[in-house]
Amino acid sequence: MHFFAYRQEMTTSPWSRDSMPPLPGTSGLPGTADTLDLISLGRRVRHLRKGRGMTLDDLGRKVGTVGSQLSLIENGKREPKLGMLQGLAAALGVSIDELLGAEPPTRRAALEIELERAQRGPLYGSLGLPRVRISSRLPMEVLESLVGLQAELERRLNEQVATPEEARRANAELRAIMRRKNNYFPEIEAEAQQVLDAVGYSGGPMSEHLIADIAVHLGFTLHHVSDLPHSTRSVTDLKNSRIYLTQSRHSDHDPRSVLLQALGHYVLEHRPPENYGEFLRQRVATNYFAAALLLPEKPAVEYLRRAKAAKEIAVEDIRDTFAVSYETAAHRFTNLATEHLDILTHFQKTHKSGIIYKAYENDGVTFPQDHTGAIEGQPSCRRWTSRVVFDVQDKFRAYNQYTDTPSGTYWCTARTERGPNGEFSLSVGVPYAQVKWFRGRDTDIREKSFCPDEACCRRPPSSLAAEWAGNAWPSARAHSHLLAAMPPGVFPGVDETEVYSFLAAHSH
């Protein structure tokens, strides 16, 4: 996790809010293109009417209605019919498009619109406060203060309501975006290639020396310290163009990836995330950027095409060729497999307890899901490769298995790795029709899964249930993080006071 003193100017990136595809469930909501914003329309009519020196009754006579009816329209309390809109546009001397324009005509009008929306919203209503009458006599500074207070209140409440359910929903939305794009993002690939060209990368594994050159090229100096805030893996000081990293060589993360992810926030011009979903998108984007530098697209694709032609694709070979972790190699394979090799695939990172921590698919495999569509936090089928691999004695070689599922037969390859939170399996799989390109396809190990049918592996066998049902009382290991709200703050889990104090101490 990284903490940034971000640039204040409004910028966009391949993974910024403005350029992301619309998330599911937003069509038709107030403020979107397919609804009429009555408050904004009313303020525009009032602005145009007053600009032409007309009273409500004057305008009413021109459009064939009374002033009291126009007052309801101007206050956003009545939706005018199409004929009325056409009459208003003609009487005010503007086109329909101008009358329905998205931009408020003045700063004051924009503030009035924001305040009116806020006062009609559920948050303001829950406070039990009297409504403020919005008129031309309301001072500008009062408008500014009221709108600012509302925005700050919403921001603070949003920080507090980042629940595990919200996190799971954000994960599901992000995974849907990744599936639509086949987990391939050409904008980030292009940014990574520009950086590689600038430092003269000529091939082979990415050395720490070359990565340090990338930092210098981007204008940063590197500082290894022993007192890095415990809630961070790196801290970037944009004021003084410094990146702080830990001195320890015993980190659970590749120091090259940590530095490249920190640089990724800068290159991709990220702004402080406004919600947990945006925080996740930025984190995935920086991980992608780092992988695109550690396994550059052109040499990685050339290598994979040769392996495909030889029918010898193997994740462990990708790992060894580019000197990265197995997890990084597996992730990068999912970035490039569909776009460049026409191979559909899926990926899982599963804890030894059976809980899925990360997952991606575009090959139709049926992952377990909760009501939000989230896969993370769900138990993987006991018969899948991602679970069976934990019981395999040979940990040196990859474990390969065919699994018959309700959605088809899949071949998967998996390995286990130990991390700070225990042992995990990392598995990559493809549909049966595409296994011919992979080493390990000759395995004779085959399992059958009926999940999500509970009779598959979640319900105890009848013989065990008959003997022990009602006679067992296990004391469950409490996973308190599943009940707690997500850590508050712009960057969840980061102690801002600790980070700012660290920067102050190191800035001289």
Side-chain angles (χ1 to χ4, degrees):
M1 191 176 295
H2 309 277
F3 190 94
F4 272 77
Y6 283 92
R7 291 183 247 187
Q8 295 302 306
E9 65 266 23
M10 301 295 283
T11 56
T12 59
S13 76
W15 280 70
S16 69
R17 285 174 293 123
D18 299 330
S19 59
M20 290 297 292
L23 296 178
T26 59
S27 178
L29 294 179
T32 57
D34 49 4
T35 60
L36 183 60
D37 187 338
L38 299 182
I39 299 174
S40 181
L41 170 65
R43 290 299 186 277
R44 186 170 290 277
V45 170
R46 178 178 295 167
H47 173 79
L48 291 170
R49 174 178 63 79
K50 289 188 174 182
R52 285 152 181 74
M54 300 167 65
T55 66
L56 283 169
D57 290 335
D58 291 338
L59 182 58
R61 284 191 290 271
K62 287 181 176 290
V63 297
T65 189
V66 296
S68 59
Q69 295 300 310
L70 287 179
S71 179
L72 292 174
I73 293 174
E74 288 191 356
N75 287 314
K77 295 179 179 179
R78 172 165 295 180
E79 181 175 354
K81 294 182 179 179
L82 178 59
M84 175 61 74
L85 284 174
Q86 292 171 333
L88 287 171
L92 295 170
V94 296
S95 67
I96 287 285
D97 286 343
E98 289 177 276
L99 191 64
L100 300 177
E103 289 297 321
T106 64
R107 169 66 178 164
R108 182 182 180 89
L111 290 170
E112 290 180 352
I113 291 169
E114 284 300 309
L115 182 56
E116 185 63 37
R117 284 176 179 160
Q119 293 188 136
R120 294 188 189 186
L123 173 58
Y124 193 94
S126 69
L127 299 175
L129 298 174
R131 292 190 54 164
V132 176
R133 185 172 181 274
I134 303 173
S135 71
S136 59
R137 292 187 294 273
L138 190 66
M140 187 70 171
E141 60 269 22
V142 174
L143 270 174
E144 294 273 10
S145 296
L146 290 173
V147 171
L149 284 170
Q150 174 76 13
E152 179 62 15
L153 179 58
E154 289 181 355
R155 186 190 70 80
R156 294 192 179 194
L157 288 175
N158 286 335
E159 283 185 359
Q160 297 170 11
V161 299
T163 62
E165 182 175 357
E166 180 185 349
R168 290 194 295 271
R169 183 177 288 107
N171 259 320
E173 292 172 345
L174 177 56
R175 193 174 55 257
I177 293 169
M178 294 164 69
R179 187 189 300 115
R180 288 198 298 270
K181 300 279 287 184
N182 290 321
N183 207 19
Y184 177 77
F185 293 87
E187 303 92 343
I188 303 180
E189 300 283 358
E191 294 283 0
Q193 189 58 53
Q194 286 184 20
V195 171
L196 291 169
D197 291 342
V199 296
Y201 171 78
S202 59
M206 182 69 66
S207 67
E208 290 189 16
H209 177 77
L210 188 57
I211 292 175
D213 287 345
I214 291 175
V216 172
H217 164 70
L218 295 173
F220 289 94
T221 57
L222 305 181
H223 302 263
H224 289 82
V225 296
S226 59
D227 60 339
L228 197 71
H230 75 283
S231 58
T232 67
R233 288 190 291 171
S234 71
V235 174
T236 300
D237 173 3
L238 286 175
K239 182 190 295 185
N240 299 298
S241 298
R242 298 175 179 176
I243 297 178
Y244 294 96
L245 305 159
T246 181
Q247 285 180 341
S248 173
R249 303 297 295 182
H250 303 292
S251 170
D252 296 308
H253 305 281
D254 184 342
R256 298 175 303 165
S257 292
V258 172
L259 174 54
L260 291 176
Q261 288 164 11
L263 293 170
H265 285 294
Y266 175 79
V267 173
L268 300 177
E269 299 180 329
H270 286 163
R271 293 171 287 174
E274 295 186 359
N275 52 56
Y276 192 75
E278 191 175 347
F279 167 77
L280 283 181
R281 291 196 292 270
Q282 290 184 358
R283 188 170 69 172
V284 169
T286 56
N287 287 342
Y288 192 113
F289 177 79
L293 289 172
L294 291 170
L295 297 90
E297 183 175 20
K298 184 177 179 180
V301 169
E302 290 175 351
Y303 173 82
L304 287 171
R305 283 176 173 161
R306 289 195 301 270
K308 182 182 179 183
K311 298 183 178 180
E312 282 287 307
I313 297 176
V315 177
E316 57 266 36
D317 287 357
I318 304 171
R319 172 201 62 190
D320 297 340
T321 300
F322 292 91
V324 295
S325 69
Y326 189 90
E327 183 172 358
T328 297
H331 274 301
R332 190 61 173 146
F333 176 75
T334 68
N335 296 153
L336 305 174
T338 305
E339 178 71 17
H340 294 289
L341 306 178
D342 295 321
I343 294 176
L344 302 178
T345 186
H346 66 266
F347 166 84
Q348 269 193 89
K349 181 177 182 179
T350 305
H351 190 263
K352 191 171 184 179
S353 63
I355 300 301
I356 298 174
Y357 270 55
K358 296 179 183 178
Y360 163 78
E361 61 80 21
N362 69 350
D363 60 0
V365 70
T366 304
F367 282 129
Q369 298 182 20
D370 67 7
H371 68 285
T372 68
I375 295 170
E376 293 78 9
Q378 298 300 300
S380 180
C381 178
R382 293 177 182 274
R383 295 182 172 88
W384 282 13
T385 310
S386 58
R387 296 287 297 277
V388 178
V389 66
F390 288 109
D391 298 324
V392 174
Q393 295 299 312
D394 184 358
K395 302 295 185 183
F396 188 75
R397 288 179 292 189
Y399 171 73
N400 307 306
Q401 173 186 305
Y402 289 97
T403 308
D404 298 320
T405 78
S407 56
T409 297
Y410 294 86
W411 173 89
C412 298
T413 182
R415 296 184 72 97
T416 60
E417 290 184 351
R418 184 165 294 278
N421 297 317
E423 192 174 0
F424 289 86
S425 71
L426 301 160
S427 63
V428 172
V430 295
Y432 181 82
Q434 296 185 318
V435 69
K436 59 186 176 182
W437 311 116
F438 291 81
R439 189 167 69 227
R441 61 189 177 277
D442 55 351
T443 181
D444 57 2
I445 302 173
R446 198 176 193 114
E447 290 277 356
K448 182 168 287 191
S449 167
F450 299 101
C451 279
D453 185 343
E454 290 194 357
C456 176
C457 65
R458 301 193 188 188
R459 190 182 302 157
S462 56
S463 58
L464 287 175
E467 181 176 0
W468 293 106
N471 295 313
W473 191 281
S475 179
R477 186 187 299 273
H479 297 286
S480 58
H481 63 280
L482 297 178
L483 304 176
M486 298 298 295
V490 175
F491 300 91
V494 169
D495 185 328
E496 292 188 26
T497 301
E498 186 180 19
V499 171
Y500 292 157
S501 298
F502 167 84
L503 288 173
H506 285 271
S507 61
H508 302 295

